[in-house]
Amino acid sequence: MTSITAAPAPSATTPQQAPRARRTDAKAGWLFVAPFAFFYLLFLIAPTIYMIVSSFFNTSLVQGGLGSFAGFANYAEMFGREDFWSSMWHTLQFTIYTTPPLVVLSFVIAVLANRVQRGQWFFRLAFFLPYVLPSATISLIWVYIFTPDTGLWPWLEQLVGLSPTAVLADPSLAMVGIAIATIWWTIGFNFVLYLAGLQDIPRELYEAAATDGATPWQQIRFITIPLLGRTTTLLVLLQIIASLKIFDQVYLMTQGGPGISTQVALTLIANVGFTDNRIGAASAASVLLFIVIIVIAVARQLMERRSERSA
Amino acid sequence: MATPTTARNGVSAAAPAAVRPPAPGKDSTRTFTIVTTVVLVVFAVIWLIPSLYALKASLSSNATAALGAGEVIASTSPTLASYTTLLASGDIWNWYLSSFLTSAVTTVLTVLFASMAGYALSRLRFRGRNLVFLLMLLGIMVPPQVLVVPIFQMLDAASLLNTYWAVIFPQVPAVIAVFVFKQFFDGLPKELEEAARIDGAGYWRIYRQVVMPLSKPVIAAMAIVTFVGVWNNLILPLFVVSNPELMTIPVGLATVQGSFGQRYADIQASAILGALPLVVLFLIFQRRIIEGVAGTGLKG
């Protein structure tokens, strides 16, 4: 630890004034960091450690303390449980349903919006406003739209000559319904990131291409898409991480049902922890989910650093 | 919002529409622009339909809403009945109060503590600074959602369940805010501080009277993003608060579906009332919210 802390040697200060300035700096530094560090240690680091520790114990909500030592039993149980794997599969399913539309659609919308110079406020309102709404509002709206018989969705299906479906009540369609609501809700985030990326592309590139006779489509294909590659990678990774943490829409729209057809990792964890009162087992599942998220988050950091270096 | 945006965060949607020089190859370009506009408007209208439909349903009577989508769309006699019922019942006021208090207090604490930590990490050279930095980097990857079970137990042990603190405290350490502040402070010229130091100002005074006043844009962006994030958080208050009087908007709305049954107009009215403060906030601070969200890269 000391080797890390000793690393920053300020080269700017002259030798004479360095020791004193550094000592006051040190005191002030810790005082400034202290309030945040207090909450950080108490509500982020401590629960993380507690989660890891309790995953090796038969901890329960009904009795205090950690309970008896369980070794890897909680992990073995999770790997052996069918609903653990199905919840992982549903999480993956949700990722597969939401990522391509969220990336492709938001790209298209952003490119179009970047070309159309009028009425920017209107597009921002239409695409970005849903993103700031609470998931509870989104869910109430979409459950209502999907209501069998009386909802807007079955009504539109009938209008175009389809037979109406009970989206959220059908095990094979429920996740699609959740995905549609999510795409509608969060596309504004990707839209905004793409718009920011588009701003960074020098206009001269397009002008040069246009002088060479490139059509708008060719400009998009050979300039816009490759230069937004970094944003696309970032958005895909962010979407995967967000999908791993999906809870709200599922809890509010289907409660994991019908059956367990939409149960995802976090609903499983909440059920095992709060309904079955089995903290240890829930912690083991949390740790497993946590590991997957960390792996992807690290990949994201590495990729960002690499593209920053090359930029 | 007349404040100029920084180049880095200058999200194009926020930037005033620049006049593009007319490109050569006029005719095909013009057709392309028209097609572009039409497609975009169609997309936007599709995107507006769910909100507008919810609004229309909320302005119908429960009886009309129960008849189906055709009747909701066709109905021409809007009524505020659902809104007056909800506002008279009192629940929604409790939810507003809880959401407002928890969001406001968390925002103040997060912005204050994160900016202080960001200032120290950016400006002060002290032993252990790199260790703090490294720990923060690790913490950025910990998803709070995964910690809901251990946090519940800790709050239980501290007898904080069913208090506003249970919703506030766990949301204070938003590590990303420290990094956003640090990055912003890194970009401020050192000369101002040095001048203040020669005048005998201490660190606290420099932070308060030199650094913070220069940081208004980033403070505003962080404050709004934090406020919206806490207001919208479902999973934490869902498990740490069970007293209906302390329920925040998302938790309260989660109970609506079950308890309102087929009162569709009431349900949609409560969905809209729950979102209303955020819609107002969005309309006022569009640019700041978009910058903040794009700048922190936070995705639900």
Side-chain angles (χ1 to χ4, degrees), chain A residues 1-2 4-5 7-8 10 21-22 24-26 28-33 35-36 39-40 42-48 50-51 59-61 65 102 105 108-109 112-117 120-137 139-145 147 150-152 155 183-184 186-187 189-190 192-193 195-196 199-200 203 207 210-211 216-217 220 238-239 242 245 247-248 251-252 266 269-270 273-274 279 282-283 286 289-290 293-294 297-298 300-301, chain B residues 8 10-15 17-21 24 29 32 36-37 39-41 43-44 46-51 53-54 57 65-70 72-73 113-114 116-117 119-120 123-132 134-136 138-143 145-155 169-170 172-175 178 197 203-204 207 228 231-232 234-235 238-239 250 253-254 256-257 264 267-268 270-271 274-275 278-279 282-283 286-287 289-290 293-294 297-300:
Chain A
M1 272 215 243
T2 25
I4 304 168
T5 54
R22 206 182 294 164
T24 46
D25 254 19
W30 284 106
L31 282 176
F32 270 99
V33 167
F36 189 88
F39 283 93
Y40 177 77
L42 211 56
F43 291 102
L44 212 80
I45 299 300
T48 307
Y50 184 80
M51 172 180 81
T59 314
S60 81
L61 267 189
L102 272 174
L105 258 185
V108 172
I109 295 172
L112 296 180
N114 200 43
R115 290 189 79 93
V116 179
Q117 300 296 340
Q120 287 284 350
W121 66 270
F122 172 70
F123 302 120
R124 234 174 343 186
L125 185 77
F127 299 122
F128 193 78
L129 180 64
Y131 185 71
V132 301
L133 304 184
S135 56
T137 289
S139 302
L140 288 179
I141 292 177
W142 281 92
V143 166
Y144 178 55
I145 288 176
T147 309
T150 56
L152 182 66
W155 185 76
I183 292 164
W184 181 78
T186 64
I187 201 159
F189 175 84
N190 295 20
V192 160
L193 252 59
L195 277 179
Q199 279 283 291
D200 290 343
R203 192 159 296 164
E207 278 157 19
T211 342
W217 167 242
I220 289 171
L238 283 176
Q239 181 55 34
K245 297 185 290 193
F247 173 81
D248 294 21
Y251 178 84
L252 295 160
L266 274 178
I269 290 168
F274 295 113
I279 301 292
S283 293
S286 307
L289 177 64
F290 182 52
I293 292 175
I294 289 272
V298 169
R300 189 206 138 178
Q301 289 281 337
Chain B
R8 190 70 194 86
V11 175
S12 75
V19 187
R20 207 177 271 254
T29 311
F32 192 77
T36 301
T37 313
V39 174
L40 192 62
V41 169
F43 265 129
I46 293 174
W47 237 256
L48 284 170
I49 285 174
S51 316
Y53 181 67
L67 291 173
V72 169
I73 295 167
F113 295 166
M116 284 167 65
Y119 171 70
R123 285 301 210 250
L124 306 176
R125 300 279 169 273
F126 59 96
R127 245 174 120 77
R129 175 174 167 276
N130 278 13
L131 182 71
V132 172
L134 194 78
L135 262 174
M136 297 267 183
L138 285 176
I140 222 168
M141 292 176 198
V142 179
Q145 293 92 332
V146 174
L147 299 179
V148 93
V149 176
I151 283 180
F152 175 88
Q153 274 202 295
M154 290 174 56
L155 293 168
F169 287 159
V172 170
V175 191
V178 176
R197 197 176 295 189
Y203 294 104
W204 177 247
Y207 161 83
V228 172
W231 186 283
N232 287 347
L234 170 76
I235 190 164
L238 181 70
F239 291 113
L253 289 184
V256 160
Q257 194 82 57
Y264 296 128
I267 293 175
Q268 294 313 301
S270 51
L278 296 181
V279 175
F282 177 79
L283 293 177
Q286 276 192 56
R287 201 164 298 178
I289 292 178
I290 290 175
V293 167
L298 288 174
K299 188 167 169 98

Side-chain angles (χ1 to χ4, degrees), chain B residues 18-295:
Chain B
V19 187
R20 207 177 271 254
K26 300 120 214 136
D27 266 4
S28 71
T29 311
R30 182 181 295 167
T31 328
F32 192 77
T33 307
I34 293 170
V35 174
T36 301
T37 313
V38 170
V39 174
L40 192 62
V41 169
V42 170
F43 265 129
V45 169
I46 293 174
W47 237 256
L48 284 170
I49 285 174
S51 316
L52 293 177
Y53 181 67
L55 188 65
K56 187 81 167 56
S58 75
L59 294 170
S60 311
S61 69
N62 282 315
T64 309
L67 291 173
E71 279 74 9
V72 169
I73 295 167
S75 106
T76 49
S77 48
T79 163
L80 287 171
S82 293
Y83 289 97
T84 45
T85 319
L86 288 169
L87 292 173
S89 87
D91 276 353
I92 191 108
W93 295 109
N94 277 334
W95 303 343
Y96 273 142
L97 181 71
S98 302
S99 280
F100 182 77
L101 280 177
T102 53
S103 305
V105 175
T106 312
T107 302
V108 170
L109 293 180
T110 301
V111 169
L112 177 66
F113 295 166
S115 63
M116 284 167 65
Y119 171 70
L121 288 174
S122 167
R123 285 301 210 250
L124 306 176
R125 300 279 169 273
F126 59 96
R127 245 174 120 77
R129 175 174 167 276
N130 278 13
L131 182 71
V132 172
F133 196 72
L134 194 78
L135 262 174
M136 297 267 183
L137 267 180
L138 285 176
I140 222 168
M141 292 176 198
V142 179
Q145 293 92 332
V146 174
L147 299 179
V148 93
V149 176
I151 283 180
F152 175 88
Q153 274 202 295
M154 290 174 56
L155 293 168
D156 190 16
S159 304
L160 283 174
L161 289 181
N162 274 317
T163 65
Y164 286 138
W165 301 119
V167 180
I168 294 168
F169 287 159
Q171 298 194 81
V172 170
V175 191
I176 190 85
V178 176
F179 283 96
V180 171
F181 275 114
K182 179 191 176 292
Q183 208 158 16
F184 181 82
F185 296 150
D186 283 345
L188 290 178
K190 287 209 164 45
E191 287 74 19
L192 287 164
E193 255 176 289
E194 275 157 18
R197 197 176 295 189
I198 290 165
D199 288 348
Y203 294 104
W204 177 247
R205 230 177 117 186
I206 293 172
Y207 161 83
R208 222 164 34 105
Q209 295 183 351
V210 179
V211 175
M212 289 313 262
L214 290 171
S215 314
K216 277 179 193 146
V218 71
I219 293 172
M222 279 303 98
I224 294 166
V225 170
T226 310
F227 191 91
V228 172
V230 178
W231 186 283
N232 287 347
N233 190 343
L234 170 76
I235 190 164
L236 177 73
L238 181 70
F239 291 113
V240 300
V241 169
S242 52
N243 179 351
E245 281 185 19
L246 299 181
M247 280 181 183
T248 57
I249 287 277
V251 185
L253 289 184
T255 66
V256 160
Q257 194 82 57
S259 57
F260 284 27
Q262 310 258 321
R263 285 154 54 199
Y264 296 128
D266 291 357
I267 293 175
Q268 294 313 301
S270 51
I272 285 166
L273 281 179
L276 201 59
L278 296 181
V279 175
V280 173
L281 208 63
F282 177 79
L283 293 177
I284 301 174
F285 296 110
Q286 276 192 56
R287 201 164 298 178
R288 291 247 184 277
I289 292 178
I290 290 175
E291 268 170 37
V293 167

Side-chain angles (χ1 to χ4, degrees), chain A residues 146-161:
Chain A
F146 285 135
T147 309
D149 303 328
T150 56
L152 182 66
W153 188 270
W155 185 76
L156 286 173
E157 281 178 318
Q158 255 170 330
L159 209 65
V160 295

Side-chain angles (χ1 to χ4, degrees), chain A residues 193-230:
Chain A
L193 252 59
Y194 268 132
L195 277 179
L198 284 167
Q199 279 283 291
D200 290 343
I201 300 177
R203 192 159 296 164
E204 293 75 33
L205 282 177
Y206 293 108
E207 278 157 19
T211 342
D212 289 347
T215 63
W217 167 242
Q218 285 172 326
Q219 294 177 22
I220 289 171
R221 194 169 152 209
F222 295 111
I223 300 174
T224 317
I225 294 181
L227 285 179
L228 286 182
R230 198 192 147 201

